[in-house]
Amino acid sequence: MRAIGGLWRWRRNPLRRGTDLAEAWLALAAVVLILGLAPLVGAAVGAAAQSALQQSVQDQRAARHQVAATVVRKLSRGPLDPDPETASGRGTHSRVIADWTAPDGTAQHGAVTAAIKSPVAGDHFTIWTDLHGRTVPRPLDGATATTHAVLAGFGATALAVGLVEGGRRLIVWRMVLRRYARWDRAWDRAGPDWGRTGAGS
């Protein structure tokens, strides 16, 4: 509505100042940039993020393997799990000592998180490891990667809009300061005679 209300600045009007016209053109340029450039920036950032994240998904799927592990004994308490996907279901997870065989054939033994609420010796579960049997977080899911890419695109669009609008406001603020400075100089020149028109002095 403010943009529509500002259209009067383009009309020929004896009260229109040069700065009014400059502000109108600045507002038009900002609208064009916001509607035209910001979505392109968001799309480019989103596409780049999607490409990088999907490549990361492929790399993680190639480097991480799901293997079967066997519970040896349950640990009384363990450190917090850094994986947010397993941390969200911590009530159904337990820290255990387990045995498993790495994808390279070596036998492994250590403390891991099992997706079992009440584990007992001999229970089987799956874990993610690298080629040498070291436990790693589960690989990034393709749908999750796409969600992150979309959020990155929206974030870039919002940032571009914020930068354009912030730049417009900064320029208008500087123009207003210069306008006030001109008014102050004009009042200083007219000040001694102000209000005395026709007084005969």
Side-chain angles (χ1 to χ4, degrees):
M1 291 303 293
R2 291 178 63 183
I4 294 173
L7 291 176
W8 70 270
R9 297 178 183 185
W10 275 298
R11 295 184 309 175
R12 293 198 178 275
N13 187 325
L15 298 178
R16 186 187 72 187
R17 298 164 295 197
T19 56
D20 291 330
L21 193 57
E23 284 182 35
W25 281 109
L26 183 62
L28 178 63
V31 168
V32 169
L33 288 175
I34 287 172
L35 296 179
L37 183 63
L40 292 178
V41 169
V45 170
Q50 172 75 344
S51 176
L53 288 170
Q54 291 301 332
Q55 182 61 49
S56 179
V57 167
Q58 292 177 7
D59 293 344
Q60 289 183 14
R61 285 181 179 169
R64 300 178 186 187
H65 308 275
Q66 196 170 24
V67 299
T70 304
V71 175
V72 175
R73 66 182 170 85
K74 180 180 179 180
L75 290 175
S76 57
R77 261 184 104 144
L80 294 177
D81 193 342
D83 185 355
E85 292 187 13
T86 58
S88 63
R90 192 170 288 123
T92 60
H93 288 69
S94 306
R95 292 285 291 174
V96 299
I97 298 295
D99 292 325
W100 66 93
T101 302
D104 65 1
T106 58
Q108 302 291 327
H109 177 84
V112 295
T113 300
I116 307 171
K117 186 172 184 178
S118 300
V120 294
D123 283 349
H124 298 286
F125 62 98
T126 57
I127 58 173
W128 287 94
T129 71
D130 63 10
L131 181 63
H132 304 293
R134 292 184 294 264
T135 57
V136 293
R138 67 172 40 194
L140 182 64
D141 181 71
T144 303
T146 299
T147 301
H148 289 306
V150 169
L151 291 175
F154 278 123
T157 300
L159 180 61
V161 169
L163 288 174
V164 169
E165 178 60 14
R168 185 195 70 80
R169 287 175 182 259
L170 179 63
I171 294 170
V172 169
W173 176 67
R174 295 297 300 270
M175 291 170 66
V176 168
L177 288 182
R178 284 198 295 270
R179 184 184 303 156
Y180 287 161
R182 284 196 302 271
W183 285 352
D184 288 341
R185 288 193 298 271
W187 277 112
D188 287 342
R189 287 193 302 270
D193 295 328
W194 185 81
R196 302 170 128 198
T197 303
S201 58

